[in-house]
């Protein structure tokens, strides 16, 4: 049973270019759909995880690849995906956010209408940063710049990306609306030709409505080249979670499920299933982490209602809080308040709540941040399946062990991604240069340094 309006398959061989790829959430989703992918990722630790997981990866700056190495990308890439770090572009009650959005719209107009050259756009971005602008302005333009660059690429013979999929935190909806308008007007190609896209309504989706045992919201943009027709958004398969009515829509709420069954539905539709609890998925996973066989509660690291002293609490019968880069700070205890063992979520457990396979090979440093930054693969499966008109595989596949790769296979991937089988090469980001914040999937603002307490 799929969650998307699957029509006729329109891409014979989809191949995804994943910008700001993180530790591999979207790539794992693509793997489950039998779709190959190539990720570009800045963060060395996330690349370590990706190499160990057997994912094709370029350890590189997305902007540098577009400027200097675009012709090296496989010409068969026909799906562009990514989640550029852009939380500062919210216009909700923020004067700075509105100014940032206006600047982005100005630069989009320069790219689309005025057809300003790449080096001139780079110059304008440098000037903006010198005046105190956010450096992530450059990154948020990258998906659009990649899509335009493809049209003038000799290697691609001017062939556009057939599908574009973008995702980020809810605050960037206004930004995706700017993208939607630009894609519908059309990307400028050689000889003045416009390549238009049909774009689904930009919408914020709840991940627990797609079977993820976690409350998390993501704003999605899905576009298809005009000839492929308007893409659907993925249809929800589960109830959303209401924290004010914690049983509603859950496995214990027979009344809510019964009401759903009585709702008028189109022929062939299926009523939503109960949302999935974190206890259920941890216990259903074949490689179940030790110590979670009995009931437990999780106490959030964040304050509730703006009060840092009031910590939110979820039980194992509810979905998890949003898994952020500080997930290892959340306390785990018995219902009577005594510490559970272990008293913090382990990295494998946090990964499972993100719907990664139980043995996913988290590597490098700051694993908590990697887990928190990632797109939940199960949610990614729904989004990609809708975008590409593909049937969904059983979600239980994500509870199976991830395939293991030997040292020789990892060395081959590293040589492709870093230029050397045992370390970084000249095209890798310089050491000690601050990361531009990869795919930054946290739905809460970050404060201070990332959590370093990664429970192994």
């Amino acid at each position: 049973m799929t969650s998307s309006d699957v029509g006729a398959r329109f891409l014979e061989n989809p191949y995804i270019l994943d910008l700001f790829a993180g530790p591999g959430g979207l790539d794992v989703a693509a793997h489950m759909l039998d779709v190959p992918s190539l990720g570009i990722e800045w963060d060395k630790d996330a690349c370590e995880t990706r190499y160990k997981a057997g994912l094709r990866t370029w350890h590189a700056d997305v902007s540098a690849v577009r400027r200097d190495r675009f012709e090296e990308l496989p010409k068969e890439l026909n799906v562009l995906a990514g989640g550029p770090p852009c939380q500062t572009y919210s216009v909700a009650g923020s004067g700075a956010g509105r100014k940032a959005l206006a600047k982005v719209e100005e630069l989009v107009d320069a790219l689309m209408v005025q057809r300003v050259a790449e080096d001139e756009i780079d110059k304008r971005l440098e000037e903006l940063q010198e005046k105190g602008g956010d450096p992530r302005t450059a990154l948020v333009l990258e998906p659009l710049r990649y899509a335009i660059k493809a049209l003038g690429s000799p290697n691609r013979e001017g062939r556009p990306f057939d599908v574009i999929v973008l995702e980020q935190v809810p605050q960037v909806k206004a930004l995706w609306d700017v993208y939607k308008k630009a894609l519908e007007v059309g990307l400028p190609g050689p000889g003045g030709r416009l390549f238009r896209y049909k774009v689904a309504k930009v919408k914020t989706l709840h991940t627990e409505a797609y079977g993820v045992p976690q409350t998390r919201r993501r704003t999605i943009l899905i576009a298809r080249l005009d000839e492929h027709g308007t893409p659907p958004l993925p249809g929800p398969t589960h109830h959303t979670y209401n924290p004010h009515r914690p049983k509603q829509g859950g496995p214990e709420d027979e009344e809510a499920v019964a009401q759903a069954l009585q709702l008028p539905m189109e022929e062939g539709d299926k009523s939503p299933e109960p949302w999935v609890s974190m206890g259920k998925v941890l216990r259903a996973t074949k490689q179940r982490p030790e110590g979670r066989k009995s009931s437990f509660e999780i106490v959030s690291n964040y304050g509730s209602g703006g009060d840092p002293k009031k910590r939110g609490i979820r039980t194992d019968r509810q979905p998890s809080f949003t898994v952020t880069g500080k997930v290892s700070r959340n306390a785990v205890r018995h219902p009577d308040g005594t510490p559970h063992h272990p008293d913090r979520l382990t990295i494998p457990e946090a990964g499972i709540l993100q719907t990664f396979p139980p043995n996913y090979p988290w590597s490098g440093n700051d694993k908590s941040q990697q887990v928190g930054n990632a797109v939940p693969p199960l949610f990614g499966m729904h989004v990609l399946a809708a975008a590409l008109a593909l049937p969904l595989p059983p979600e239980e596949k994500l509870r199976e062990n991830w395939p293991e790769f030997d040292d020789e296979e990892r060395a081959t991937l590293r040589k492709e991604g870093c230029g050397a089988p045992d370390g970084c090469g000249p095209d890798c980001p310089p050491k000690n240069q601050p990361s531009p914040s990869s795919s930054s999937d946290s739905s809460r603002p970050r404060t201070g340094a990332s959590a370093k307490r990664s429970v192994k």
Side-chain angles (χ1 to χ4, degrees):
M1 179 67 184
T2 68
S3 69
S4 56
D5 182 16
V6 178
R9 182 174 181 140
F10 59 91
L11 286 183
E12 188 63 32
N13 297 297
Y15 189 180
I16 298 171
L17 175 61
D18 185 10
L19 308 180
F20 313 99
L26 203 63
D27 302 80
V28 171
H31 172 84
M32 295 297 169
L33 294 169
D34 294 322
V35 175
S37 65
L38 169 64
I40 302 177
E41 174 53 42
W42 171 289
D43 183 68
K44 186 177 185 296
D45 294 320
C47 287
E48 291 294 332
T49 294
R50 293 178 61 88
Y51 292 143
K52 198 165 184 180
L55 300 175
R56 288 192 67 193
T57 306
W58 284 14
H59 179 205
D61 178 352
V62 166
S63 300
V65 170
R66 174 187 46 77
R67 286 193 307 267
D68 308 323
R69 302 176 61 195
F70 194 91
E71 297 306 314
E72 299 174 31
L73 290 168
K75 64 181 179 180
E76 298 83 7
L77 290 162
N78 52 14
V79 179
L80 181 65
C86 47
Q87 291 92 322
T88 57
Y89 297 93
S90 168
V91 296
S94 167
R98 286 191 293 273
K99 289 180 181 178
L101 185 69
K103 179 56 65 176
V104 169
E105 289 181 297
E106 177 185 318
L107 290 167
V108 168
D109 182 74
L111 284 165
M112 302 281 294
V113 180
Q114 303 172 37
R115 304 197 179 194
V116 172
E118 281 193 76
D119 54 356
E120 175 61 25
I121 294 292
D122 291 335
K123 182 180 178 182
R124 294 187 189 183
L125 286 165
E126 288 175 7
E127 292 174 351
L128 177 64
Q129 189 169 343
E130 289 171 0
K131 295 177 182 179
D134 194 303
R136 291 177 291 186
T137 299
L139 298 179
V140 79
L141 288 171
E142 285 301 337
L144 184 61
R145 299 184 76 175
Y146 266 73
I148 294 173
K149 184 102 173 186
L151 299 174
S153 166
N155 182 44
R156 296 178 59 88
E157 300 177 345
R159 184 168 56 86
F161 287 101
D162 290 274
V163 177
I164 298 174
V165 178
L166 303 176
E167 57 79 33
Q168 248 298 344
V169 293
Q171 291 86 345
V172 303
K173 182 180 183 300
L175 181 60
W176 284 172
D177 285 332
V178 172
Y179 259 81
K180 181 178 188 293
K181 180 179 178 181
L183 292 169
E184 290 176 337
V185 168
L187 303 183
R193 180 182 174 185
L194 287 177
F195 290 82
R196 293 185 173 86
Y197 286 78
K198 293 189 183 297
V199 187
K201 179 181 179 181
V202 175
K203 190 173 182 180
T204 299
L205 305 178
H206 296 253
T207 61
E208 76 272 18
Y210 300 89
V212 178
Q214 172 195 170
T215 52
R216 189 186 208 100
R217 295 185 300 151
R218 305 300 293 170
T219 298
I220 303 298
L221 180 149
I222 301 176
R224 290 180 186 167
L225 203 60
D226 194 72
E227 63 195 65
H228 300 314
T230 304
L233 287 170
T237 54
H238 295 67
H239 281 274
T240 55
Y241 175 78
N242 184 344
H244 301 293
R245 300 182 65 183
K247 291 184 179 181
Q248 186 180 40
E252 297 174 331
D253 186 13
E254 296 181 1
E255 181 180 351
V257 176
Q259 288 175 354
L261 289 171
Q262 296 171 11
L263 292 174
M265 295 179 289
E266 298 294 330
E267 184 177 353
D269 280 356
K270 181 181 178 182
S271 62
E273 298 179 15
W275 42 252
V276 180
S277 71
M278 54 180 160
K280 176 181 178 180
V281 76
L282 288 175
R283 295 182 182 110
T285 302
K286 291 184 178 180
Q287 186 180 319
R288 182 175 63 206
E290 294 298 325
R292 304 299 182 210
K293 297 178 181 179
S294 59
S295 296
F296 61 87
E297 295 177 343
I298 289 185
V299 183
S300 174
N301 177 59
Y302 295 99
S304 178
D307 185 349
K309 295 180 180 179
K310 295 180 179 179
R311 308 285 183 178
I313 298 174
R314 295 271 177 95
T315 74
D316 61 329
R317 296 184 177 185
Q318 297 169 309
S320 166
F321 295 107
T322 300
V323 174
T324 72
K326 296 178 174 62
V327 63
S328 295
R329 296 185 181 184
N330 294 346
V332 186
R333 67 188 190 187
H334 291 281
D336 64 4
T338 58
H340 218 270
H341 179 74
D343 65 354
R344 294 291 189 272
L345 283 173
T346 65
I347 293 302
E349 286 177 321
I352 289 169
L353 295 180
Q354 280 276 57
T355 66
F356 278 88
N359 66 330
Y360 197 69
W362 303 102
S363 303
N365 297 315
D366 209 353
K367 298 181 183 68
S368 291
Q369 195 67 56
Q370 291 186 53
V371 177
N373 280 355
V375 178
L378 178 55
F379 180 67
M381 280 169 50
H382 281 267
V383 173
L384 290 177
L388 300 174
L390 296 176
L392 275 170
E395 63 185 62
E396 287 75 15
K397 285 186 68 174
L398 287 167
R399 297 175 187 169
E400 298 174 358
N401 280 338
W402 186 253
E404 295 184 2
F405 296 85
D406 59 31
D407 291 342
E408 183 177 351
E409 291 171 309
R410 290 197 294 269
T412 299
L413 288 169
R414 189 186 298 277
K415 185 174 182 180
E416 178 190 12
C418 287
D422 54 359
C424 287
D427 291 323
C428 295
K431 291 182 179 180
N432 303 321
Q433 188 169 343
S435 168
S437 180
S438 298
S439 58
S440 191
D441 198 21
S442 172
S443 62
R444 293 179 182 268
R446 294 181 187 168
T447 57
S450 298
K452 297 296 181 183
R453 186 177 180 181
S454 295
V455 183
K456 298 180 180 179

